[in-house]
Amino acid sequence: MAILLIKIEDTASLALNEFFDYNGRCYAVAGVRGEQNKRGFRMEEFYEATRDTERLENVPVFFVTGEGSEAVILGWYKRAVITRQIRTVSLFLEGNVEVASADAVLLPEQDRITKTEWQNPGQLYEVVEQEDMRYEALERLLKKDPKENSFLRYSYAPARLEPKLLKNPDACLQYCGTLAQVLLNDQCRDISEIKLLEKYAEKMKEKRRDDPDGWYYHALACCHLGFFREGIKSIQKALELEPEAADLKALKGMLLAERGYYAESAACLREAYEKNLEEDYLLLEGRVHSMAGQMNRAYECFAAVKDQTLLDSAGIHLQEMEKRWSFADLLSFRRKNRTRGKKR
């Protein structure tokens, strides 16, 4: 099996992206990405793959950084699964490269001294086949256990609660809101801030059982930590207290999707969209249908999104979908939408 190299442009992202312990899994992105455009991985670059290949298993992946042709190795996944499409795992985490956390190694900064050659400066990934002169050196590195793995897991992340803050529920909920906003804005420094949100929200659930905010914040933290069962329980309680909230319904949909309840998840996201017409929810519904293998329904959701920048930033390209899947009713669906547009 060939080795995949992924270039990291900002090493500050490692702790909350490529080496974030999401309930025992890590995710990374391999694809052609621009500021406003993102495309799935070209599986055909592997000898074992064709244009019909959707996933490859047991692929070693190295993460590197650097300018020009010289790259420094930051860490690696020993045995990863690579899929063609980039999947949104949570609001801030996405990937088409997935591995068990036990197979993820992040070198401490002082040990990032091994270099390799980067042959395509304009691309963010490279496939190294066995006849490539870099292959043997990378394979030898995989077989060595580093002295230290700086990958931070949930159980080791610090989360010290302030007793004074816990005694003031109003202030505590306000702090939860601040942490939640940091999370939603993708500004967390590491997993510790999400763990802190989870712990404070857990206390607020106990102190104010009739306040949906505490339940929502707990569910939000659980969603981003990969604690889906606990998150579903909390979001269900929040919805009992505030049943008309679209954001609560959407969060429930995301949690259900990660548990494999795709039909229920899609229904939640559709309801959230119908409540306030946020096209982000429509995009998420399409993602869920895609996860369930229902590409026809996924296409319908994506085609209904009017904001093209949303599709571009999510790596959704309708024309590519049309080339890869011959839906029986795809063309008629598009014609109907064009006809409706002309009548308005």
Side-chain angles (χ1 to χ4, degrees):
M1 175 60 73
I3 294 172
L4 177 64
L5 299 183
I6 297 178
K7 179 171 281 189
I8 302 299
E9 297 176 291
D10 181 4
T11 57
S13 73
L14 293 171
L16 269 176
N17 287 278
E18 294 79 15
F19 292 91
F20 176 79
D21 182 14
Y22 190 68
N23 198 22
R25 310 294 294 178
C26 293
Y27 296 86
V29 172
V32 181
R33 292 163 288 162
E35 290 184 3
Q36 298 297 328
N37 198 17
K38 178 169 53 186
R39 291 180 181 270
F41 181 70
R42 292 186 66 252
M43 304 291 282
E44 308 92 90
E45 296 194 24
F46 283 87
Y47 288 163
E48 299 90 341
T50 68
R51 63 176 297 172
D52 296 323
T53 304
E54 287 297 322
R55 64 186 273 137
L56 290 172
E57 299 183 0
N58 297 317
V59 180
V61 179
F62 281 86
F63 298 90
V64 303
T65 191
E67 300 291 337
S69 61
E70 187 175 81
V72 177
I73 295 174
L74 303 169
W76 56 83
Y77 292 169
K78 296 178 183 177
R79 295 176 294 273
V81 174
I82 300 175
T83 55
R84 185 179 294 273
Q85 294 301 318
I86 298 172
R87 179 169 80 90
T88 300
V89 184
S90 69
L91 286 178
F92 75 96
L93 185 64
E94 61 183 5
N96 60 331
V97 182
E98 178 182 353
V99 73
S101 299
D103 282 338
V105 175
L106 178 61
L107 296 173
E109 290 191 28
Q110 69 271 15
D111 292 342
R112 299 172 189 175
I113 56 176
T114 305
K115 297 179 180 179
T116 189
E117 184 182 357
W118 188 264
Q119 297 181 349
N120 298 296
Q123 192 163 302
L124 294 176
Y125 70 87
E126 292 183 357
V127 176
V128 179
E129 296 288 352
Q130 291 186 6
E131 64 270 20
D132 192 303
M133 60 182 297
R134 299 170 290 177
Y135 188 89
E136 287 188 12
L138 292 171
E139 190 177 42
R140 285 197 301 270
L141 193 58
L142 272 177
K143 296 176 181 179
K144 293 182 179 180
D145 289 324
K147 295 179 181 178
E148 182 183 347
N149 186 353
S150 61
F151 173 45
L152 181 63
R153 290 180 171 83
Y154 170 85
S155 56
Y156 297 112
R160 182 176 177 273
L161 304 186
E162 294 292 339
K164 291 183 179 179
L165 192 58
L166 291 174
K167 292 178 181 179
N168 187 339
D170 289 334
C172 192
L173 277 175
Q174 186 175 359
Y175 185 56
C176 284
T178 300
L179 288 172
Q181 197 59 52
V182 169
L183 172 58
L184 294 173
N185 290 340
D186 196 12
Q187 295 174 339
C188 290
R189 290 167 295 181
D190 56 43
I191 191 175
S192 299
E193 289 179 297
I194 310 174
K195 184 175 182 179
L196 203 59
L197 174 60
E198 179 215 0
K199 295 299 183 185
Y200 274 120
E202 183 72 41
K203 296 295 184 182
M204 289 304 96
K205 285 183 359 180
E206 299 170 2
K207 291 179 178 291
R208 290 191 170 179
R209 299 193 61 81
D210 293 332
D211 191 330
D213 287 346
W215 297 95
Y216 164 72
Y217 291 137
H218 185 255
L220 181 66
C222 286
C223 180
H224 293 288
L225 291 167
F227 302 159
F228 308 119
R229 182 174 298 179
E230 298 88 341
I232 289 173
K233 290 179 181 178
S234 290
I235 201 62
Q236 188 57 44
K237 181 63 177 179
L239 279 166
E240 290 174 8
L241 297 168
E242 195 174 348
E244 298 302 315
D247 58 339
L248 300 184
K249 186 67 69 172
L251 182 54
K252 181 180 179 180
M254 293 177 60
L255 287 159
L256 287 170
E258 292 301 330
R259 292 286 291 171
Y261 298 111
Y262 300 124
E264 296 88 342
S265 170
C268 284
L269 291 164
R270 172 61 59 162
E271 188 175 343
Y273 170 68
E274 290 173 348
K275 285 181 182 298
N276 67 0
L277 300 182
E278 279 282 342
E279 289 194 329
D280 287 323
Y281 299 150
L282 198 58
L283 186 67
L284 285 171
E285 183 191 347
R287 289 287 201 188
V288 171
H289 289 311
S290 179
M291 291 166 65
Q294 298 176 331
M295 301 310 300
N296 194 343
R297 299 185 69 179
Y299 176 88
E300 290 182 6
C301 289
F302 298 148
V305 174
K306 298 176 183 177
D307 186 350
Q308 185 61 41
T309 60
L310 277 180
L311 296 176
D312 290 341
S313 63
I316 304 298
H317 305 279
L318 297 178
Q319 290 183 345
E320 289 184 6
M321 292 184 71
E322 291 163 13
K323 291 177 183 177
R324 300 194 67 233
W325 290 284
S326 300
F327 304 132
D329 59 344
L330 185 150
L331 293 177
S332 63
F333 171 81
R334 297 194 73 185
R335 280 196 296 272
K336 288 176 184 177
N337 276 272
R338 291 195 189 101
T339 303
R340 292 192 190 107
K342 290 177 181 179
K343 289 179 180 179
R344 288 173 183 169

